[in-house]
Amino acid sequence: MYKSIKFFLVVCCVLSTARTLSAQVNGASVNGAQANAPQWLDDQAVGVIRISVTATNTQGVLERLAELLPANANELNVWRSQSQAMADAVKAAGGEELLIVYSLADDFADQPLWVVPKAKNLDIRSFQSSLPGTQALSLSGKPMTLKSFEFDDATVVGTKAALERAKANKTQPPATLLESMQTPYNTFTLSVTMNADQRRAAAEMLPQVPPFLGGGATRDLLSKIQSLRMDLVGESSADLVFTLTGDATAVEARAKNIKDWLDNPANANSAPVFKMLGKFLVDHLTSRPPKSQGQTASWKVPIEAVLKSGASELLSSAMLQADEQRAAYHLRTLALAIHNHYSAMKRFPSPLSGLDGKSPRRLSWRVDLLPFLDQNDLYQQFRLDEAWDSPHNRSLISKMPNVFRVPQSKHAVESGLSTFVLPSNAVTMWPADREIDFKDIADGSSNTMMIVEVKDEFAQEWTKPEPFEINMQNPASQLGGHFKDKVFFAAGDGSTGVVGSDKFMNLPALLTRAGGEAITW
């Protein structure tokens, strides 16, 4: 939920204008539209993307917009690929549009709801038979089975849990989101909103809007905003049209606040992504008078202007920060799984034996952790009495969960190459010749590296039972490599940390479990 709140706040601050929405849509009021809300759209819905699969310019403008994606846009490229695959399946089956629904009730980091509205020429069976493979539709790389269900107005594709929730839904979606969905569009539309509970939670979690976005109380800002929308329009050269509903008087003050922040010498050393975002807002949105139509306000920005504005660099900086957070999250998840393994099995995953602690190791510690990573279905697919490279077990290498890799890795998740390893050496937590216990970590579990990030050239096939021999004389030669001058790790107590290049001399001491070395930060 926190990611959704941050996303909504950023976009709200990007647009931050317009008036309370009460316009009529196709002759129906908001309340009237609410009465006809689709069952698959619930009160926790925060965003809907609509893609016209029949518009002649759809592919062209999306490809133009894709030029904004920087080289490190790994997950956005996965999203774009899976969206294109779904759109192609809809078009081939005679459909007209594809809706992608994001709800806080679902784990949409893995999978949203894909909605195909009824259409005169839509062949449902053809669409269902041409669905892309489930692995290709997983942002996290987690194997999952997508199912479909026929509602009165649409065919909906999603995980079993999401579909069961949608079938049982009795709630009403946010009125402004529903109305935005019913408004005609050209090629591509993104609509975002928050209900009262979500606004309240956002204000509690982030009381103040960051200064580079204009500052002020979050509660005050959110009280003035109902919803926002972005459309791709145009033929040969596309435009982005941003439309927001709320209080139009906030925009001039916000633009001035952002400019004052940018001009303040005290902020010269602020993160580049903050300065770039503030400048982009002033140059392209907040300083421009909106076009008022009825009770809404909108801005039209040519994609060419966005392409030349440094937006790609802005996205790159933002994604780098997001990937650093994701790397730390993956490490915390793995560390927790190792601790849960210890609690259940009374021992750490061993380089010597399999999950039962007795049989010779045929598969890696990562496979051992699958039941503790909510991946029991994948675990059950492995033949534990066969070697990791048997024909059957090799077929599962491409199903590596994303949690075993650094987001910045050049290796695709399907490669099965893991950039998180257990550093093995006689003096580390993972000696290759025996098992250890917490009592053996004399340096303290919080001062001992348990999982480390390695460079792409040292990545391991995730199912292979192969200890990672750490070079204790020069560990920096093997570690890091994805974020400039940094090495990410998880300590024995489950906490995560980062070692900067100016502290690489501490790496050998952090790797030993009982060396007694002094660590100077």
Side-chain angles (χ1 to χ4, degrees):
M1 178 175 180
Y2 186 51
K3 293 178 184 177
S4 306
I5 289 169
K6 289 196 295 185
F7 168 72
F8 184 81
L9 282 174
V10 169
V11 184
C12 286
C13 296
V14 167
L15 304 176
S16 193
T17 188
R19 300 171 179 82
T20 303
L21 179 63
S22 60
Q24 304 289 310
V25 180
N26 296 329
S29 67
V30 171
N31 291 333
Q34 195 76 334
N36 297 318
Q39 186 177 348
W40 40 265
L41 195 65
D42 64 20
D43 63 341
Q44 294 299 304
V46 292
V48 176
I49 294 173
R50 300 165 68 195
I51 302 173
S52 170
V53 302
T54 58
T56 57
N57 62 331
T58 296
Q59 187 61 33
V61 295
L62 289 178
E63 288 178 355
R64 197 78 181 98
L65 191 62
E67 294 180 28
L68 288 173
L69 298 181
N72 64 336
N74 296 341
E75 294 190 358
L76 280 183
N77 278 317
V78 171
W79 179 89
R80 187 165 61 93
S81 297
Q82 68 178 34
S83 299
Q84 186 65 60
M86 288 293 285
D88 289 345
V90 174
K91 185 176 181 179
E96 297 176 357
E97 67 175 330
L98 171 67
L99 279 67
I100 309 173
V101 179
Y102 293 93
S103 170
L104 293 181
D106 298 322
D107 183 7
F108 57 73
D110 283 329
Q111 202 58 227
L113 282 178
W114 306 84
V115 180
V116 183
K118 301 291 186 185
K120 180 180 179 180
N121 297 319
L122 177 63
D123 184 340
I124 293 297
R125 291 187 177 180
S126 174
F127 164 70
Q128 292 173 331
S129 65
S130 61
L131 280 175
T134 57
Q135 181 70 7
L137 290 171
S138 173
L139 277 176
S140 70
K142 182 170 67 177
M144 60 180 64
T145 300
L146 295 183
K147 299 180 179 297
S148 64
F149 185 81
E150 297 297 313
F151 289 89
D152 291 340
D153 58 342
T155 298
V156 179
V157 178
T159 62
K160 180 180 178 181
L163 288 178
E164 290 299 325
R165 181 188 54 75
K167 287 187 283 185
N169 176 45
K170 302 295 182 183
T171 65
Q172 292 294 314
T176 49
L177 182 61
L178 182 61
E179 183 168 4
S180 179
M181 285 174 53
Q182 294 175 333
T183 303
Y185 72 108
N186 181 276
T187 298
F188 176 99
T189 293
L190 164 65
S191 302
V192 181
T193 192
M194 294 176 76
N195 65 28
D197 291 338
Q198 293 158 5
R199 293 168 194 272
R200 208 162 31 244
E204 291 175 358
M205 296 174 68
L206 190 66
Q208 295 292 317
V209 177
F212 65 91
L213 294 176
T218 299
R219 187 182 302 277
D220 180 61
L221 174 63
L222 293 182
S223 70
K224 299 174 182 178
I225 297 173
Q226 300 301 315
S227 66
L228 53 91
R229 171 171 164 161
M230 183 187 78
D231 290 79
L232 274 175
V233 299
E235 293 295 334
S236 57
S237 60
D239 296 316
L240 292 172
V241 177
F242 299 95
T243 303
L244 186 142
T245 66
D247 181 3
T249 61
V251 74
E252 289 186 6
R254 187 157 299 279
K256 183 179 183 306
N257 290 347
I258 296 173
K259 191 173 187 307
D260 288 346
W261 184 86
L262 289 169
D263 293 340
N264 188 340
N267 300 318
N269 294 324
S270 297
V273 64
F274 296 163
K275 292 187 288 186
M276 292 172 67
L277 179 56
K279 187 176 187 305
F280 177 80
L281 299 181
V282 171
D283 291 348
H284 295 283
L285 288 175
T286 56
S287 61
R288 297 186 178 203
K291 176 183 178 181
S292 296
Q293 184 176 1
Q295 296 184 352
T296 65
S298 62
W299 296 258
K300 180 183 288 188
V301 182
I303 284 184
E304 289 298 327
V306 177
L307 290 171
K308 296 176 182 178
S309 69
S312 181
E313 291 80 3
L314 173 63
L315 282 171
S316 183
S317 297
M319 287 176 187
L320 183 62
Q321 291 188 3
D323 281 350
E324 288 186 356
Q325 294 176 352
R326 182 66 65 85
Y329 174 75
H330 285 182
L331 281 165
R332 281 194 297 273
T333 302
L334 291 175
L336 178 61
I338 288 177
H339 276 258
N340 287 338
H341 180 287
Y342 183 91
S343 297
M345 304 297 172
K346 309 305 178 188
R347 61 180 183 82
F348 290 117
S350 169
L352 306 175
S353 59
L355 189 61
D356 60 7
K358 299 176 182 178
S359 60
R361 175 169 289 284
R362 294 185 175 91
L363 293 157
S364 77
W365 61 272
R366 300 178 186 88
V367 177
D368 287 356
L369 287 190
L370 290 177
F372 304 95
L373 292 167
D374 194 26
Q375 297 274 1
N376 199 56
D377 287 346
L378 177 57
Y379 180 72
Q380 295 295 333
Q381 295 178 47
F382 281 93
R383 294 177 182 172
L384 304 182
D385 59 346
E386 294 182 5
W388 73 278
D389 56 353
S390 71
H392 173 80
N393 285 339
R394 283 201 68 86
S395 71
L396 300 175
I397 291 177
S398 63
K399 294 187 177 184
M400 180 182 76
N402 207 26
V403 72
F404 291 121
R405 63 186 287 275
V406 180
Q408 285 278 321
S409 173
K410 293 185 174 70
H411 300 307
V413 65
E414 294 83 5
S415 71
L417 292 172
S418 172
T419 45
F420 289 130
V421 305
L422 305 181
S424 180
N425 186 278
V427 298
T428 70
M429 274 190 65
W430 309 105
D433 59 346
R434 67 188 183 93
E435 297 181 9
I436 70 162
D437 204 291
F438 275 113
K439 67 179 185 297
D440 299 311
I441 309 176
D443 287 348
S445 59
S446 63
N447 298 317
T448 305
M449 287 180 162
M450 179 166 66
I451 312 169
V452 292
E453 164 208 2
V454 295
K455 297 175 180 177
D456 276 346
E457 57 264 39
F458 295 104
Q460 293 182 314
E461 289 186 281
W462 77 285
T463 60
K464 187 176 181 180
E466 177 183 35
F468 183 87
E469 296 182 8
I470 191 74
N471 180 353
M472 291 298 293
Q473 301 305 312
N474 185 18
S477 64
Q478 298 169 307
L479 304 184
H482 301 99
F483 305 102
K484 185 178 180 181
D485 300 327
K486 295 178 181 177
V487 171
F488 280 74
F489 70 93
D493 65 348
S495 63
T496 59
V498 180
V499 180
S501 58
D502 60 331
K503 300 297 181 182
F504 277 1
M505 77 288 290
N506 287 325
L507 289 173
L510 287 168
L511 284 161
T512 62
R513 67 179 184 274
E517 305 96 336
I519 299 174
T520 56
W521 293 105

